[in-house]
Amino acid sequence: MKTSTIVKTVLDFDVAEYVNAVRAGGRRQLDPALRGRMADLYVDLGGVLTEAPGSIDTGERRVLRLAELALQSEWKLAATTEPHDERDRPGVLEGPRGTRYQPYSNVRLLNHALGTQKHSSDACIERQCRQALRFLVGSWLGWEERTLRGQEPWAHLDLPTARDSGERLSRLSALDDAMAAWPRLPAAGAAPASRWEDYLGEAGRSRILEYLINMPQTRKHEENVFLRLIHLTEVTTSGILARTVAGNAWLESGAYAEAARCFERAAELAVMQFDIMLVLRRTMSVDSFLGFRKDTENASAIQMTSAQTLHIHLLGIHPAKVEALGEIQENAFLLLYVNRHFRPLRSLLQELPQDTDETRPVFAAARALDETLFRWRRLHLGLAHRYLPGETMGSGGTAGAPYLSGFYHDRIFDPEGELFPHPVPVSMPPLDERVRARSVFSPFN
């Protein structure tokens, strides 16, 4: 197919038809012909973007790069239903195919909306994360309210009880009120736009968040809720990570006041992350969770690159995580942090005196961040025990709650506020030759 034909086919693709089809039947029931067409377009578009870059103007390239992210998710999911493997794109937006975390949650589209792929500053990333958080919480709240009134046709199967719905709405309203002074994104519009170019710019970010990232496999209400929680966790994690990386850099340069401010901002977002997780606590029944869990297949939070990266920048690589990271193709590159030049926050704090006027604010902010993230992990573990009882395996082949139990106590400070010693040093394991280093915020994440 000629370059001009491929470009025209992608630009003419009806995005609204695709979104409406997913919402009508769930992503699992998407017409195989439509998914196959999107998968083929992804492969064809890759050739155009890499082999004929000079034939596309800058404006079209921006649109095509955005379309590529959505097409790639369906290309990955097509591997479970359609034989497209012979048209693979090795090395381009890499990662295994099938129903895994990246395509299931559309995390690359989410990162596009957050602007984390554009070498932005930590302050810019935090601002855009706050915008996205306010938008997503408001979107979730409005959707739940319409559902309760019987005015929402999307994902109306397996609804929560009136009590659970009321409690959830109360918690979401409190979050929405807490964000009232945060920066706001434009409205997304009452219906999805048909053309990719309408998903660019500030208004486009809203449309991505409203229409392109939340695509449940089923029509079940609680799977929709589950995905909303995933996206909010991703957004808060990105903001915390941006501020942590910046804070570490300020520490290494001796700029203690700037480092303390970064950790304070990270801790504020960590509090919001904890409060967001509380929305789910005892407002989703175990039966409802298990009712959609099988449809998530191999999509597992252990594949969540942002969370693993944050943990490493705070604490380094835990010896017991080496094998798990190496076995996950999406995250194997994180083992490259095992080198003498990288120092996580725990190592940097070990070298600082704690009792000077300059460093006290650093330690106070780092303790607040460490404590709040520990509370979140404890809450997450409690939810895992509730929704994955007994010996139930976690998604993605993990041991579920027992796996989380092995790491949730890994902290920078002990309960008395004293620094924990370093864990046993980790040795670099053998890695596949295709594993390459990435920046913290990379288009490949």
Side-chain angles (χ1 to χ4, degrees):
M1 197 183 297
K2 291 183 179 179
T3 294
S4 59
T5 303
I6 294 171
V7 170
K8 184 178 186 307
T9 303
V10 174
L11 295 179
D12 289 344
F13 181 84
D14 193 330
V15 184
E17 178 186 0
Y18 164 56
V19 173
N20 289 330
V22 172
R23 289 193 170 196
R27 210 172 187 186
R28 196 173 185 82
Q29 299 302 317
L30 187 66
D31 182 357
L34 175 56
R35 174 167 286 156
R37 181 158 62 94
M38 294 179 72
D40 288 340
L41 275 178
Y42 171 70
V43 176
D44 292 335
L45 181 58
V48 169
L49 292 172
T50 56
E51 297 168 17
S55 61
I56 308 169
D57 66 42
T58 303
E60 281 188 343
R61 178 172 291 276
R62 288 182 65 220
V63 177
L64 295 174
R65 284 296 187 191
L66 168 64
E68 182 184 37
L69 297 174
L71 296 173
Q72 189 230 16
S73 283
E74 296 304 333
W75 170 78
K76 285 194 169 187
L77 294 173
T80 63
T81 57
E82 297 291 319
H84 290 272
D85 293 48
E86 69 275 11
R87 304 193 68 206
D88 208 340
R89 284 177 61 183
V92 180
L93 294 179
E94 61 200 53
R97 299 178 67 184
T99 308
R100 294 174 68 84
Y101 183 81
Q102 279 183 354
Y104 175 71
S105 62
N106 285 318
V107 69
R108 283 176 172 153
L109 275 165
L110 176 60
N111 289 340
H112 180 90
L114 295 179
T116 57
Q117 304 167 333
K118 301 176 182 177
H119 307 290
S120 301
S121 68
D122 55 297
C124 181
I125 290 174
E126 184 193 344
R127 182 180 187 279
Q128 299 199 141
C129 285
R130 287 178 181 265
Q131 282 183 311
L133 286 168
R134 183 176 182 183
F135 182 92
L136 290 171
V137 166
S139 173
W140 185 0
L141 177 60
W143 174 73
E144 293 277 13
E145 288 174 336
R146 292 191 302 274
T147 299
L148 190 62
R149 294 194 300 265
Q151 299 172 340
E152 178 58 70
W154 181 31
H156 60 279
L157 299 182
D158 192 18
L159 297 176
T161 65
R163 186 198 69 81
D164 288 346
S165 181
E167 181 61 32
R168 188 179 293 167
L169 281 170
S170 175
R171 296 173 187 177
L172 284 171
S173 295
L175 282 175
D176 195 48
D177 290 343
M179 298 177 180
W182 289 16
R184 183 193 294 273
L185 282 172
S194 293
R195 301 183 66 80
W196 293 115
E197 57 259 39
D198 292 323
Y199 293 85
L200 296 176
E202 282 290 280
R205 290 175 60 210
S206 300
R207 293 188 182 105
I208 291 173
L209 295 173
E210 183 66 34
Y211 295 113
L212 293 184
I213 63 169
N214 193 0
M215 294 192 161
Q217 295 287 92
T218 70
R219 292 184 295 157
K220 295 177 179 178
H221 183 94
E222 299 298 69
E223 189 198 355
N224 194 306
V225 167
F226 184 65
L227 268 172
R228 291 175 187 273
L229 187 70
I230 285 174
H231 294 140
L232 287 163
T233 303
E234 277 280 359
V235 175
T236 47
T237 300
S238 290
I240 297 166
L241 175 59
R243 287 302 196 177
T244 297
V245 171
N248 287 0
W250 285 121
L251 269 189
E252 289 193 279
S253 66
Y256 301 130
E258 289 83 356
R261 183 58 180 153
C262 283
F263 298 136
E264 287 168 3
R265 301 290 290 188
E268 290 173 11
L269 286 173
V271 170
M272 185 57 66
Q273 185 176 74
F274 178 81
D275 290 342
I276 287 167
M277 182 68 88
L278 281 176
V279 173
L280 188 65
R281 188 172 68 174
R282 298 200 176 278
T283 69
M284 178 186 292
S285 73
V286 175
D287 287 343
S288 291
F289 176 79
L290 296 178
F292 69 78
R293 179 176 176 268
K294 67 179 185 299
D295 293 297
T296 67
E297 296 185 24
N298 289 318
S300 170
I302 195 176
Q303 299 157 13
M304 183 178 169
T305 300
S306 58
Q308 300 289 359
T309 307
L310 174 61
H311 188 90
I312 289 169
H313 278 269
L314 289 168
L315 298 155
I317 294 180
H318 193 288
K321 275 196 173 183
V322 171
E323 183 178 357
L325 289 173
E327 290 175 349
I328 299 169
Q329 187 176 334
E330 298 94 327
N331 290 338
F333 78 96
L334 293 172
L335 291 173
L336 294 173
Y337 279 104
V338 181
N339 67 77
R340 61 187 178 84
H341 301 290
F342 173 73
R343 292 189 296 169
L345 178 57
R346 171 157 51 191
S347 296
L348 295 171
L349 292 177
Q350 295 278 356
E351 301 168 5
L352 288 184
Q354 298 189 37
D355 56 355
T356 72
D357 291 340
E358 282 188 312
T359 60
R360 283 193 196 98
V362 174
F363 280 91
R367 284 190 187 94
L369 175 59
D370 183 57
E371 174 62 27
T372 306
L373 291 175
F374 172 68
R375 289 174 62 220
W376 185 92
R377 291 195 301 273
R378 187 168 54 194
L379 176 60
H380 185 210
L381 177 61
L383 291 172
H385 279 298
R386 173 174 167 78
Y387 293 113
L388 299 172
E391 300 301 316
T392 306
M393 290 292 292
S395 54
T398 68
Y403 171 82
L404 296 175
S405 297
F407 302 107
Y408 95 100
H409 272 298
D410 192 21
R411 300 181 56 181
I412 298 175
F413 298 95
D414 65 21
E416 283 70 47
E418 298 300 320
L419 286 167
F420 268 124
H422 284 286
V424 177
V426 175
S427 300
M428 170 67 78
L431 295 176
D432 189 293
E433 62 181 10
R434 293 172 295 181
V435 174
R436 295 288 185 272
R438 301 180 195 169
S439 59
V440 173
F441 293 107
S442 163
F444 293 98
N445 293 342

